[in-house]
Amino acid sequence: MTTSRRTLLAATTGIAAAAATTTAATAAPRTDRSNGHRPPRREHFGTLDNGDRVDRWTLSGGGIRLRVLSYGGIVQSLEVPDRRGRTANVSLGFDSLDDYVADSPYFGALIGRYGNRIAGAKFTLDGTVYQLPANDGPNSLHGGTEGFDKRVWDVQPYRSGGDVGLTLRYVSKDGEMGYPGTLRTRVRYLLTPRGELRIDYEATTDKATVVNLTNHTYFNLAGEGSGSIEDHALRIAASRYTPVDATLIPTGTLARVAGTPFDFRHGKPIGKDLREGHQQILRGQGYDHNFVLDKGITGKPRHVVTVSEPGSGRIMRVATTEPGLQFYSGNFLDGTLKGSSGRIYRAGDGFCLETQHFPDSPNQPGFPSTVLRPGQTYRSSTVYSFGIDR
Ligand code: BGC
């Protein structure tokens, strides 16, 4: 992935002054306190069968327009310009609440209480066995049958300095979906003047529990509904990944990516090694694996991923505090869902980069712990920075 003249989005949209290379730390100087931000706008999006109202919030800042639903905290659309200044929605999703409720493979959603799979839908904590709903063969996936993606969150606008955002809150009751402890969750979506979408997660509990929060946006930097993401160039700063068994549960081994299709350290098109017949790729019907980020757990988000789309010139960089990244190449999109632009989504039409702790950590003593105890605060942050490659 050798490209030149990469610029941060905010710089190219005239919102912040200085251009910067994507390898630079970020931060273009602010020239204007408002930074082009407008206050978040709320509109009625739909009503659930139980009568609960669902809103859609629209925020703009740093050259990005973001739409978030109070249902599932879903990123419904994320609009960013291409190298010619033409804007497109780069996140897969639907137009109507009914579509999200009927059958959504977690498009754009906040995932909790536990992102990805827990083997056999159970875990033991402090000597007690907790049984969870199995919603993916024998395993529990993304918090169970009614995870955080299917809850209505309390949403309030938020503003700090040049950042504009939303604060979302959800209280998960003790025993909900089988998990112990009342979990008070706060997620903040922020647009910064630098062309970044930042997501900050926080949670506290009143009993020992496990927590692994993430966001499940499917990206297509050419625009949702535009077809395959296989020609996107992807670089992941991970020398190891966690191979999985036939039900996509990590075996517990941290395998080296060197010499395998999992080596994205130097950047390559997503589709390059997809058809090599590697046993792990066969299991996931593509990439559906947790990458062990070389930087490990960090107090501040550190850059781990760069992805670029040659046609539009759009680039996205991801920085996170988390130790893992689930790279999912949209393998189970099966041509039955029609997206917001009216086009059908087929396998590989979007990809997810779910920053997280490793799948099945509650059953894997060798993995970084996901246990949260009373008095502790769970914190996690991920920053998606958008730019263009001219
Ligand atoms: C999982 C996939 C799953 C997808 C959508 C990803 O995080 O790893 O196996 O199909 O979410 O449900």
Side-chain angles (χ1 to χ4, degrees), residues 11-355:
T12 63
T13 53
I15 287 157
T21 66
T22 52
T23 47
T26 58
R30 291 179 190 169
T31 51
D32 164 12
R33 287 293 289 171
S34 81
N35 289 303
H37 292 161
R38 270 169 253 125
R41 192 159 46 83
R42 183 176 81 148
E43 63 196 311
H44 183 238
F45 189 65
T47 306
L48 295 172
D49 282 350
N50 66 5
D52 284 354
R53 172 194 161 109
V54 172
D55 290 324
R56 176 168 77 171
W57 289 80
T58 302
L59 3 168
S60 302
I64 300 175
R65 184 160 78 166
L66 170 71
R67 291 197 150 128
V68 173
L69 306 182
S70 55
Y71 177 76
I74 288 171
V75 170
Q76 191 221 359
S77 79
L78 178 62
E79 293 170 55
V80 295
D82 68 5
R83 64 161 71 90
R84 291 188 186 83
R86 289 177 309 204
T87 296
N89 172 17
V90 297
S91 71
L92 276 57
F94 298 120
D95 257 354
S96 79
L97 181 62
D98 288 351
D99 285 339
Y100 281 106
V101 173
D103 180 19
S104 171
Y106 305 93
F107 284 150
L110 292 176
I111 304 293
R113 182 176 308 198
Y114 197 94
N116 215 279
R117 293 176 177 79
I118 296 188
K122 61 172 191 265
F123 67 95
T124 304
L125 179 58
D126 298 337
T128 304
V129 178
Y130 294 97
Q131 189 68 50
L132 314 169
N135 59 342
D136 187 70
N139 306 319
S140 192
L141 175 67
H142 295 331
T145 43
E146 282 177 83
F148 291 7
D149 59 295
K150 294 181 183 61
R151 307 287 174 172
V152 176
W153 293 63
D154 174 68
V155 185
Q156 300 295 331
Y158 172 83
R159 186 169 193 132
S160 167
D163 300 343
V164 66
L166 298 171
T167 303
L168 290 83
R169 289 193 172 81
Y170 176 67
V171 179
S172 170
K173 296 198 181 76
D174 184 13
E176 187 179 287
M177 293 288 108
Y179 291 94
T182 308
L183 192 78
R184 295 183 179 279
T185 313
R186 189 187 85 180
V187 177
R188 205 162 256 165
Y189 285 108
L190 290 173
L191 295 179
T192 78
R194 298 175 294 280
E196 298 164 335
L197 165 62
R198 178 179 174 118
I199 312 181
D200 293 331
Y201 306 82
E202 262 189 38
T204 55
T205 186
D206 58 2
K207 279 186 197 161
T209 190
V210 294
V211 190
N212 192 28
L213 305 179
T214 191
N215 175 278
H216 209 292
T217 294
Y218 290 64
F219 298 97
N220 184 327
L221 297 184
E224 67 76 33
S226 67
S228 171
I229 48 84
E230 285 190 28
D231 63 350
H232 284 52
L234 175 67
R235 192 169 68 208
I236 307 177
S239 309
R240 292 171 301 169
Y241 75 108
T242 52
V244 290
D245 70 12
T247 69
L248 303 184
I249 293 292
T251 59
T253 309
L254 306 187
R256 301 216 159 266
V257 299
T260 77
F262 294 87
D263 194 349
F264 284 94
R265 290 174 298 173
H266 309 293
K268 64 177 175 181
I270 289 174
K272 180 165 179 286
D273 300 325
L274 259 179
R275 292 173 182 79
E276 271 195 4
H278 190 282
Q279 189 217 30
Q280 283 293 315
I281 301 276
L282 289 168
R283 289 214 165 135
Q285 296 183 33
Y287 294 101
D288 191 357
H289 294 80
N290 171 67
F291 285 72
V292 178
L293 299 171
D294 290 338
K295 68 162 191 81
I297 300 172
T298 43
K300 295 223 166 85
R302 294 260 308 271
H303 174 223
V304 291
V305 169
T306 304
V307 53
S308 57
E309 195 279 308
S312 64
R314 291 191 185 91
I315 297 180
M316 181 174 76
R317 303 173 80 230
V318 183
T320 187
T321 55
E322 288 297 298
L325 174 86
Q326 185 80 12
F327 167 46
Y328 171 54
S329 52
N331 319 320
F332 303 121
L333 297 173
D334 61 1
T336 59
L337 300 176
K338 194 192 274 183
S340 35
S341 58
R343 308 251 303 162
I344 294 296
Y345 295 141
R346 294 168 56 89
D349 281 1
F351 62 95
C352 301
L353 297 169
E354 300 153 68
T355 51

